[in-house]
Amino acid sequence: MLIVMKPTAVDSDIRTVEERVEQLGFFAKTLPGAQRTAIAITGNPGPIPSDYFACLKGVKEVVRVSSPYKLVSREVMPEDTIIKFANGVRLGGSNFHVMAGPCSVENRELLLSTARHVKAAGATFLRGGAFKPRTSPYAFQGLKEEGLKLLAEAREETGLLIITEVKDTETLPLVAQYTDILQIGARNMQNFSLLEAAGRQDKPVMLKRGMSATIKELLMAAEYIVNAGNNQVILCERGIRTFETMTRNTFDVGAIHMLRRLTHLPILADPSHGIGVWHGVPALARAAVVAGAQGLIIEVHPRPADALSDGPQSLKPKKFEQLMEQIRAIRVVLNRTPERVAGETLDA
Ligand code: PEP
Ligand code: MN
């Protein structure tokens, strides 16, 4: 249930509603918006009579929220979530950002040179895994804290923000000390303890779609993080498992469109894991931008043949630079100016 307050409602009116929710033994989550404040009720096993709240001062209307994901839904918050970083970067809404870098942090020289390249091409975030969830226990598992230190050094030198994967609850505090965004990978999308632990952090989280997860399951996984207290969640379409074997995954471009309608959270796309071969990455990246993605995460490696993970799907810096030019041109053609983009996607 959602209690929408009148624009004239004052703090004490909001507090009264919150107290009534708590008296009933439920949780009140207040969502301040530019147009109006709304209070979402969670933890109720069934419907609550709407007149419990309708008569309170400052209440405009009481709306039943039908979806099992509430806090992340557009029903509860119509405006796009915008995540603000310390250096002024804003993610979500009409902003568009590219995160790029190697699949894994391998060594200092490779990371720093890749960081310089992607920065020069227009990326705002450097990606790179330090704790790698590998299918085989014998594959490269990442440089761990040493990798995090190298990412921090690259941020220091280039001014790029960093995003890196957190694999489990044990290493979460360590990863959170270094990174600007905590990445939760496809294999962990329904690791509920990790989702809840990330929900207790004061740090943006990028949640990647599970290999066999539906859009609804992705949204419910995001709900765990927001319900635990962290509103700064980004979703990422990275392809799903289908019967197709010619590509590594089947990139679900329709999911980008659906997610933009269903949730206020920023939606990113990962064309690298989405197709698994470098020559397909630009095509999927362009498609994702057209479909409404608010950013991309792309694997870039100066020597893909030597990469310790995901070399076949990594773009060389030159190809990445060309792709960035194409994306800029596409955004001009689409007239994705800051004022128009959100409405345009939703009305489509
Ligand atoms: C990655 O980003 O390198 C990665 C492991 O991604 P995913 O979780 O989508 O497989
Ligand atoms: Mn990878």
Side-chain angles (χ1 to χ4, degrees), residues 131 133 164-173 175-176 179 181-185 188 194 198 205:
F131 289 91
T164 194
E165 180 159 356
V166 55
K167 214 164 61 121
D168 46 47
T169 49
E170 290 78 7
T171 52
L172 174 63
V175 178
T179 196
I181 301 182
L182 292 159
Q183 173 177 330
I184 298 187
N188 265 321
L194 184 58
V205 178

Side-chain angles (χ1 to χ4, degrees), residues 147-316:
L148 299 174
K149 286 189 176 146
L150 293 175
L151 285 164
E153 187 183 338
R155 170 177 53 203
E156 193 62 36
E157 190 201 297
T158 60
L160 289 164
L161 292 162
I162 60 182
I163 174 164
T164 194
E165 180 159 356
V166 55
K167 214 164 61 121
D168 46 47
T169 49
E170 290 78 7
T171 52
L172 174 63
L174 176 72
V175 178
Q177 265 177 43
Y178 288 91
T179 196
D180 298 295
I181 301 182
L182 292 159
Q183 173 177 330
I184 298 187
R187 290 156 192 80
N188 265 321
M189 190 204 84
Q190 283 186 318
N191 178 340
F192 299 114
S193 338
L194 184 58
L195 298 177
E196 284 173 340
R200 292 189 290 269
Q201 293 285 325
D202 181 21
K203 179 119 330 190
V205 178
M206 185 171 85
L207 179 63
K208 298 187 84 175
R209 183 176 180 182
M211 305 200 196
S212 306
T214 63
I215 293 171
K216 200 168 171 181
E217 285 163 344
L218 172 61
L219 289 167
M220 287 195 281
E223 186 84 6
Y224 267 88
I225 305 173
V226 179
N227 190 42
N230 189 348
N231 298 334
Q232 305 181 86
V233 180
I234 304 148
L235 301 180
C236 181
E237 164 57 35
R238 49 75 78 203
I240 47 174
R241 278 273 164 87
T242 66
F243 51 79
E244 184 52 69
T245 55
M246 205 62 87
T247 50
R248 179 176 178 186
N249 289 296
T250 297
F251 186 67
D252 185 3
V253 78
I256 297 168
H257 171 81
M258 292 307 293
L259 287 166
R260 288 295 316 266
R261 290 182 80 88
L262 294 167
T263 178
H264 49 83
L265 300 176
I267 307 302
L268 261 66
D270 173 347
S272 309
H273 293 83
I275 194 158
V277 282
W278 67 267
H279 51 80
V281 171
L284 293 200
R286 294 188 298 257
V289 174
V290 175
Q294 289 150 302
L296 295 167
I297 178 160
I298 299 178
E299 288 183 343
V300 176
H301 197 290
R303 296 191 293 278
D306 301 331
L308 298 180
S309 61
D310 288 349
Q313 66 192 35
S314 299
L315 289 182
K316 288 185 184 163

Side-chain angles (χ1 to χ4, degrees), residues 101-111 114 127-144 147 150 248 273 299-314:
C103 176
S104 306
V105 178
E106 299 179 7
N107 62 56
R108 188 167 180 275
E109 175 269 317
L110 270 173
L111 187 71
T114 312
R127 65 146 289 147
F131 289 91
K132 294 299 298 176
R134 301 306 298 278
T135 304
S136 162
Y138 309 119
F140 176 60
Q141 302 287 313
L143 295 183
K144 309 203 165 68
L150 293 175
R248 179 176 178 186
H273 293 83
E299 288 183 343
V300 176
H301 197 290
R303 296 191 293 278
D306 301 331
L308 298 180
S309 61
D310 288 349
Q313 66 192 35
S314 299

Side-chain angles (χ1 to χ4, degrees), residues 37-64:
T37 293
I39 300 152
I41 306 181
T42 60
N44 51 310
I48 308 166
S50 58
D51 37 325
Y52 272 50
F53 300 98
C55 57
L56 295 180
K57 184 167 166 280
V59 171
K60 180 167 173 258
E61 57 178 335
V62 179
V63 183
R64 287 204 190 287

